[in-house]
Amino acid sequence: FFFSYGTIDAGAPMISAICSLLLPASQSFVAVPRPDVLSAHSPRAVAAPRMLFGGGGASKEGGGGGGGMGNMMETIKKAQEVGVKVKALQEELVNTEIEATAADGGVTVVISGAQVPMDVKVSEDLCSKGAEAVSDAISLAMREAHKNSMEYSKQKLGALYAEIGLPMPPEGGPGM
């Protein structure tokens, strides 16, 4: 096309509209005053290309221009790798069994690393002590198993965050 980055007069809105149709979406034009041509009576400006996703001109990292497309592609690739690692961690947590006991081994509770209850075993000896003793022992074992499962998940998530170079979110923040 035949547009130069020269001086723009009153037709600037029309030229901007035409340029927005001709340029890739990653570029836009911004009117920037040129001190050498401006006077008190001359409202002239220069159209300067600005990259939507950082910088203008040749990119140092991606090898050439493209408005940071190399960086964006690297970011997308990294996000996909992180997604694969998160999915693998989620699968590992679902398949991990964490066990807790209470009442001197009278109750054994098993939950997954994703905090899903999997199994509860109550001994005959504990059953003979009555419903309240069984209920108390199961509650205690469930709380302990849940606490252990949460600690295990937090440890694994912390290792994943460290591997991908992110800080661990604060307590109560985003998690799995």
Side-chain angles (χ1 to χ4, degrees), residues 131-148:
E132 190 172 330
V134 171
S135 179
D136 290 344
I138 289 174
S139 295
L140 180 65
M142 287 295 290
R143 283 192 300 272
E144 185 68 23
H146 184 263
K147 182 183 100 183
N148 293 344

Side-chain angles (χ1 to χ4, degrees), residues 5-8 29-34 36-37 44-48:
Y5 298 120
T7 304
I8 299 175
F29 276 82
V30 177
V32 179
R34 269 186 42 194
D36 60 321
V37 289
R44 294 182 179 196
V46 174

Side-chain angles (χ1 to χ4, degrees), residues 2 5 53 56 74 88 90-91 100-101 121 129 152 172:
F2 296 107
Y5 298 120
F53 295 109
E74 288 174 23
Q90 289 171 335
E91 188 173 322
T101 60
K121 293 180 182 160
K129 293 181 182 178
Y152 179 80

Side-chain angles (χ1 to χ4, degrees), residues 2-175:
F2 296 107
F3 180 78
S4 70
Y5 298 120
T7 304
I8 299 175
D9 288 307
M14 177 61 93
I15 292 173
S16 291
I18 292 170
C19 289
S20 67
L21 295 173
L22 298 175
L23 287 174
S26 65
Q27 292 185 353
S28 63
F29 276 82
V30 177
V32 179
R34 269 186 42 194
D36 60 321
V37 289
L38 288 181
S39 69
H41 305 292
S42 173
R44 294 182 179 196
V46 174
R50 303 287 177 168
M51 305 310 274
L52 194 59
F53 295 109
S59 171
K60 291 176 178 67
E61 287 132 22
M69 289 301 279
N71 291 339
M72 188 185 321
M73 294 306 291
E74 288 174 23
T75 301
I76 290 170
K77 184 178 178 184
K78 176 101 173 173
Q80 289 171 338
E81 291 172 4
V82 169
V84 168
K85 290 178 182 180
V86 167
K87 186 166 179 69
L89 176 59
Q90 289 171 335
E91 188 173 322
E92 177 186 340
L93 292 176
V94 165
N95 295 320
T96 299
E97 293 184 354
I98 297 172
E99 186 176 289
T101 60
D104 297 323
V107 172
T108 302
V109 172
V110 179
I111 67 173
S112 73
Q115 292 80 47
V116 176
M118 300 176 77
D119 191 28
V120 176
K121 293 180 182 160
V122 181
S123 72
E124 291 289 329
D125 290 341
L126 185 60
C127 285
S128 67
K129 293 181 182 178
E132 190 172 330
V134 171
S135 179
D136 290 344
I138 289 174
S139 295
L140 180 65
M142 287 295 290
R143 283 192 300 272
E144 185 68 23
H146 184 263
K147 182 183 100 183
N148 293 344
S149 177
M150 291 296 290
E151 288 174 1
Y152 179 80
S153 297
K154 187 176 178 182
Q155 173 194 4
K156 289 294 192 174
L157 190 59
L160 176 65
Y161 272 81
E163 183 180 334
I164 60 177
L166 294 175
M168 187 70 172
E171 284 294 318

